[in-house]
Amino acid sequence: MPLKKIEKKILSGKRLTSEDALACFESSDIFTLGRLANHVAQKLNGNNAYFVQNHHINPTNICVNRCKFCAFSKSRGDKGAYEMSIKDIVKKLKGQVGQRKGTKTAGTAKLRHKGTEGFSEVHIVGGLHPDWGLDHYVEILQKIKEHFPSLHIKAFTAVEIDYFAKISGLSLKNTLTALKNAGLESMPGGGAEIFNARVRNKICPEKINAGKWLKVMETAHSVGIKTNATMLYGHLEKYKHRVEHMLKLRNLQDKTGGFQAFIPLAFHPKNTNIDNAQYTSGIDDLKTIAISRLFLDNFPHIKAYWIMLGAKIAQLALCFGADDLDGTIVEEKITKSAGALSGSAMTKSELINLIEKAGKVPVERDSFYQALTK
Amino acid sequence: MTTQKKKKSYSARITKKEGLDLLKNADLLGLGSMADGMRKALHPHNKVSFIIDRNINYTNVCINKCKFCAFYRNADASDAYVLSKRKLFNKIRETIKHGGTQILMQGGLHPDLGLDYYVDLLKSIKAKFPIHVHGFSPPEITYISKTSGLSISDTLLTLQEAGLNSIPGGGAEILSDRVRKKVSPKKIMSKQWLKVMEEAHKIGMKTTATMMFGSVEGPEDIIEHLDAIRRLQDKTEGFTAFIPWSFQPGNTELFQNSKFKIQTPATGVEYLRVLALSRVYLDNIPNVQASWVTQGLKMAQVALRFGANDFGSTMLEENVVAAAGVKYIAAVNDIIQAVRGGGFQPVQRDMYYNIISENL
């Protein structure tokens, strides 16, 4: 039984080696992997499964990078290219709250009551816009804070941060500090894709390399900004590249402790430029969740991002080591462009139902995984 | 757990009480692992089969008006239809062109269509096309027998002689009259459904069996259903496959009318739990199908590790579930890829689960 050794390690709280993780990927014993991952998740988070009421804003799809796996980005002047003004962003946030409340102008007041009706978090990521400067992003943050003082802003991937630093001529540290002062409270984990240079050069040659991505995260952690980390899988990479990727994250986490959640992202093939690309299998999705839970022993949370996995697989992932479904995600555009198998929003009661039917305890959280109480 | 130990050998049959305990209390992965072991024991070759066929719904007019159905219409509705022969033949021609070997013919209980209509339909299809006709679920057979005044057995024999090859397992819903009286009071009750199947098996016709769960039933009703199927199969061995699927609530009275208290459709976890239990409980039914039409391809892949060994039909056309707002469109290639992605070798089969093609 090839997983026997790994089972022993897990049950005695020992760290898995890269070889162990690879053996897990090569095993077809999804039941043992799931059971062990669930064991680890239980130890870390009890029977809890978290969700957050959040709203996604993608301020622009105009991007100088044009990664091959991306169906969202456009060049300026392309059909479908768009940019939101700061006013649009504020209006969108207000409008959403209003809609959810069934009134036209619920606005700011509702958002102050975290955990009752409103959203507690806004998630902002977008393209690398050729003309917007750092001051524009600073202003986005300031204006949101002005209108929604208690709304948590989780924004900008490492790729965007690096780009802002470049266009502003500031160091990473100063760039991050400027954003933090303007209201940035945490960062998502996007743009990590797959760290292996050979694969990375094939799927996103223009994007910052692994070293740079990790450097941005390390700097963010050093100035007190918590972040997530992602991994895009199911394109051209092999299992060993996934392990290599997770090892780099685990090493950095040992150093900084600044990562909150690891989010494996299943590649979506529609409208991308990857040859012969296919959807990942549901079994691969579950295995990847389970193995990440087993291998990343220093990450407090594993997120099953339902918009990428579909609600059904994401729910099932809660039995395979994941402890977070992300959130209500009103209006996601990026996965949708690549043929999302899910809708683009879920209600709080839908999330709660999925969690309960998976035998877990639903906990509405804030952006730092603190339970929100009514 | 003693039940799990018992099943380890895949020899001892689980009792109703044990089945109920598993359905209610077993942890999902434990139950899945049991089902996976049983699937492997029954189908050790690592192949997953599917059939290329087309669902042809010859009419949507139906007097039964089940509350979980979004497909039926009254005869005078503006979008009520009975398919013309020309259209039907075109559909069959297309099916054959796409490598199809079977048509699944099902429709509403139309008050004006008698036995003659069905006999003529079958004969004219068989005269033109070398195709397997899998058609007319027990509610239809019962209705035809009633309007023609023939016994069930004679109705079946007449249809068989005209060209009907096998019978689909639809209309079973949940074989618990407590539930049927609520969700489909005008539809035949459990005993009648089982009787039609038994008569069909007696004259050498193979059939499948389905179960629609996730409406207003409780775990006991699911066990009652599985047990009824298992008992009949002990007697006749006429079921080729079992197909559990979950109620799709879109556009249905059952979901829209709050008195039924269905707040949410069955989730993925619930689907897998029922699927796995079905595999374990129905030890005398050789095949269990994953329902990609109601669950999507990814969940159907996972289902292959929770007891299913078959991907069902490619459904070149499907109208009934689509009417409830669920559209998982899959081409033959998508199904082949999905089976491979799940770690299995895809093979094309016929209704009797004979492999027709392995070179896909």
Side-chain angles (χ1 to χ4, degrees):
Chain A
M1 185 90 186
L3 293 182
K4 264 280 171 286
K5 194 184 85 182
I6 285 155
E7 172 154 12
K8 239 174 147 178
K9 277 192 178 176
I10 293 293
L11 296 181
S12 59
K14 286 207 186 85
R15 182 165 260 201
L16 297 188
T17 63
S18 292
E19 290 71 39
D20 293 334
L22 201 57
C24 289
F25 273 114
E26 270 150 17
S27 165
S28 62
D29 187 359
I30 56 168
F31 300 106
T32 299
L33 291 173
R35 181 167 50 79
L36 293 176
N38 196 36
H39 168 83
V40 174
Q42 291 272 356
K43 263 200 334 203
L44 290 167
N45 295 296
N47 216 20
N48 290 349
Y50 299 94
F51 69 95
V52 60
Q53 294 209 67
N54 59 357
H55 185 97
H56 277 217
I57 299 274
N58 306 123
T60 182
N61 61 353
I62 298 174
C63 188
V64 300
N65 262 4
R66 307 309 311 271
C67 301
K68 288 194 173 56
F69 59 79
C70 179
F72 173 69
S73 73
K74 301 273 181 202
S75 293
R76 196 171 25 195
D78 281 359
K79 204 176 147 218
Y82 75 87
E83 38 192 66
M84 291 170 81
S85 69
I86 296 177
K87 241 189 204 152
D88 291 340
I89 292 173
V90 170
K91 219 164 104 188
K92 192 127 217 177
L93 287 171
K94 275 192 177 162
Q96 255 325 312
V97 178
Q99 250 178 35
R100 289 256 149 164
K101 278 297 293 167
T103 57
K104 275 184 189 141
T105 51
T108 341
K110 296 301 166 200
L111 278 171
R112 290 214 180 91
H113 299 287
K114 284 189 189 177
T116 51
E117 314 284 345
F119 299 84
S120 63
E121 172 188 286
V122 59
H123 169 107
I124 309 172
V125 298
L128 307 183
H129 194 287
D131 302 330
W132 292 354
L134 178 61
D135 47 351
H136 182 77
Y137 294 96
V138 164
E139 202 187 331
I140 291 180
L141 298 171
Q142 284 170 339
K143 276 276 149 56
I144 292 176
K145 275 288 164 191
E146 203 179 299
H147 285 90
F148 312 101
S150 63
L151 185 64
H152 177 102
I153 305 180
K154 179 178 83 181
F156 312 130
T157 63
V159 181
E160 288 165 278
I161 299 292
D162 173 72
Y163 184 68
F164 302 162
K166 217 184 289 168
I167 56 177
S168 65
L170 294 177
S171 68
L172 284 175
K173 191 169 179 181
N174 289 341
T175 305
L176 284 160
T177 306
L179 293 168
K180 191 182 177 197
N181 291 339
L184 180 69
E185 289 161 286
S186 68
M187 281 167 55
E193 320 310 356
I194 201 85
F195 288 148
N196 179 266
R198 216 172 46 80
V199 181
R200 196 175 182 84
N201 281 336
K202 280 190 195 153
I203 63 169
C204 52
E206 286 149 335
K207 193 167 267 186
I208 56 170
N209 64 24
K212 199 43 159 305
W213 190 95
L214 291 161
K215 183 91 217 284
V216 173
M217 287 312 197
E218 186 172 355
T219 314
H221 298 166
S222 78
V223 301
I225 298 173
K226 293 269 185 190
T227 77
N228 291 332
T230 60
M231 172 175 77
L232 185 74
Y233 66 95
H235 38 86
L236 304 173
E237 92 293 351
K238 297 213 156 46
Y239 289 148
K240 64 177 181 189
H241 300 130
R242 298 188 197 179
V243 175
E244 175 190 336
H245 187 100
M246 291 195 287
L247 182 65
K248 286 201 160 93
L249 291 174
R250 191 169 79 176
N251 288 342
L252 180 56
Q253 179 75 336
D254 275 344
K255 210 164 143 186
T256 65
F259 288 118
Q260 301 201 96
F262 176 68
I263 314 161
L265 301 175
F267 173 69
H268 282 53
K270 296 269 154 74
N271 312 319
T272 63
N273 281 319
I274 307 281
D275 292 340
N276 302 319
Q278 280 158 13
Y279 285 103
T280 55
S281 85
I283 291 168
D284 191 16
D285 293 340
L286 295 173
K287 262 170 81 173
T288 306
I289 290 272
I291 295 165
S292 66
R293 180 60 290 168
L294 296 176
F295 190 71
L296 296 173
D297 56 354
N298 53 4
F299 272 65
H301 304 286
I302 302 291
K303 186 186 287 189
Y305 190 43
W306 67 262
I307 207 122
M308 287 293 231
L309 297 172
K312 286 178 190 284
I313 299 287
Q315 182 202 22
L316 197 48
L318 298 176
C319 307
F320 282 79
D323 63 279
D324 185 12
L325 282 184
D326 198 76
T328 45
I329 314 189
V330 176
E331 235 205 351
E332 199 272 352
K333 293 193 173 124
I334 299 173
T335 314
K336 212 173 174 181
S337 319
L341 302 169
S342 58
S344 61
M346 236 195 276
T347 63
K348 179 173 164 175
S349 66
E350 283 171 310
L351 287 165
I352 289 175
N353 179 55
L354 286 177
I355 292 170
E356 284 177 346
K357 295 283 169 61
K360 301 278 168 175
V361 178
V363 178
E364 182 174 357
R365 62 167 175 86
D366 68 10
S367 305
F368 299 117
Y369 289 86
Q370 299 302 311
L372 293 177
T373 44
K374 291 201 181 96
Chain B
M1 183 191 263
T2 52
T3 314
Q4 297 213 8
K5 260 193 204 131
K6 195 168 168 184
K7 267 334 280 177
K8 272 281 184 238
S9 61
Y10 311 116
S11 52
R13 171 168 272 200
I14 60 169
T15 64
K16 276 176 91 165
K17 200 164 152 258
E18 288 166 334
L20 187 62
D21 180 47
L22 283 174
L23 184 59
K24 282 160 85 170
N25 306 319
D27 98 283
L28 179 72
L29 297 188
L31 184 56
S33 171
M34 279 167 71
D36 195 43
M38 190 139 166
R39 189 264 313 157
K40 256 185 232 159
L42 288 165
H43 305 278
H45 46 52
N46 209 44
K47 288 172 188 163
V48 164
S49 49
F50 65 91
I51 187 162
I52 301 183
D53 81 346
R54 179 168 197 156
N55 225 347
I56 298 179
N57 301 117
Y58 55 92
T59 180
N60 62 352
V61 174
C62 189
I63 57 159
N64 262 2
K65 301 178 190 182
C66 301
K67 294 176 173 50
F68 52 77
C69 178
F71 177 68
Y72 76 82
R73 294 290 181 272
N74 289 323
D76 57 0
S78 62
D79 53 351
Y81 73 84
V82 176
L83 220 53
S84 70
K85 269 194 191 165
R86 192 177 55 83
K87 277 194 184 155
L88 179 73
F89 292 161
N90 276 338
K91 283 174 188 285
I92 297 175
R93 226 171 264 125
E94 272 173 28
T95 308
I96 292 172
K97 207 178 92 194
H98 285 95
T101 59
Q102 166 178 300
I103 52 168
L104 166 56
M105 290 251 286
Q106 290 190 107
L109 308 187
H110 194 304
D112 303 334
L113 302 180
L115 181 60
D116 295 348
Y117 166 84
Y118 293 96
V119 167
D120 175 58
L121 194 66
L122 288 164
K123 280 188 174 161
S124 60
I125 291 170
K126 285 291 181 174
K128 270 185 130 68
F129 304 103
I131 197 146
H132 181 104
V133 181
H134 185 53
F136 315 128
S137 60
E140 289 161 278
I141 300 289
T142 303
Y143 190 62
I144 298 168
S145 118
K146 209 189 283 174
T147 56
S148 68
L150 292 180
S151 69
I152 293 292
S153 179
D154 287 342
T155 305
L156 284 166
L157 282 166
T158 311
L159 294 172
Q160 188 180 38
E161 203 181 290
L164 182 63
N165 298 105
S166 59
I167 291 185
E173 321 313 354
I174 285 281
L175 294 171
S176 154
D177 289 348
R178 192 186 67 81
V179 179
R180 298 178 88 77
K181 279 174 188 153
K182 278 191 208 162
V183 302
S184 52
K186 292 184 186 161
K187 189 171 264 185
I188 56 171
M189 291 292 131
S190 308
K191 210 173 134 199
Q192 179 65 15
W193 189 94
L194 292 161
K195 180 179 156 64
V196 173
M197 288 312 195
E198 185 169 356
E199 295 293 341
H201 296 167
K202 265 192 206 156
I203 62 165
M205 242 185 214
K206 293 285 181 184
T207 80
T208 56
T210 64
M211 173 170 74
M212 182 192 80
F213 65 95
S215 69
V216 299
E217 84 287 343
E220 291 81 5
D221 301 306
I222 290 177
I223 297 297
E224 194 175 325
H225 185 108
L226 294 176
D227 198 61
I229 300 282
R230 189 169 75 177
R231 269 185 281 128
L232 181 55
Q233 179 74 343
D234 276 345
K235 212 163 144 185
T236 64
E237 293 185 355
F239 290 118
T240 56
F242 184 69
I243 313 154
W245 54 282
S246 63
F247 166 57
Q248 305 298 311
N251 307 325
T252 63
E253 182 187 345
L254 188 56
F255 194 57
Q256 282 155 5
N257 187 335
S258 59
K259 85 170 190 222
F260 294 109
K261 298 198 177 91
I262 300 176
Q263 269 126 26
T264 49
T267 63
V269 165
E270 292 162 277
Y271 169 73
L272 290 180
R273 183 175 277 282
V274 171
L275 177 79
L277 179 73
S278 305
R279 176 62 290 171
V280 172
Y281 200 89
L282 298 174
D283 54 2
N284 54 1
I285 294 198
N287 302 292
V288 172
Q289 286 187 19
S291 174
W292 63 263
V293 178
T294 62
Q295 304 299 314
L297 285 172
K298 280 198 179 201
M299 273 303 280
Q301 286 172 320
V302 176
L304 297 178
R305 297 300 306 279
F306 281 75
N309 67 293
D310 186 88
F311 237 57
S313 146
T314 53
M315 302 240 181
L316 297 173
E317 177 179 344
E318 202 290 324
N319 300 309
V320 179
V321 180
V326 175
K327 282 197 173 130
Y328 289 112
I329 299 191
V332 176
N333 270 339
D334 290 338
I335 286 186
I336 290 172
Q337 292 300 351
V339 170
R340 283 210 184 104
F344 295 89
Q345 183 197 344
V347 296
Q348 186 188 348
R349 64 161 172 88
D350 64 14
M351 192 271 165
Y352 306 104
Y353 288 80
N354 299 311
I355 294 175
I356 303 177
S357 172
E358 302 211 24
N359 302 315
L360 301 167

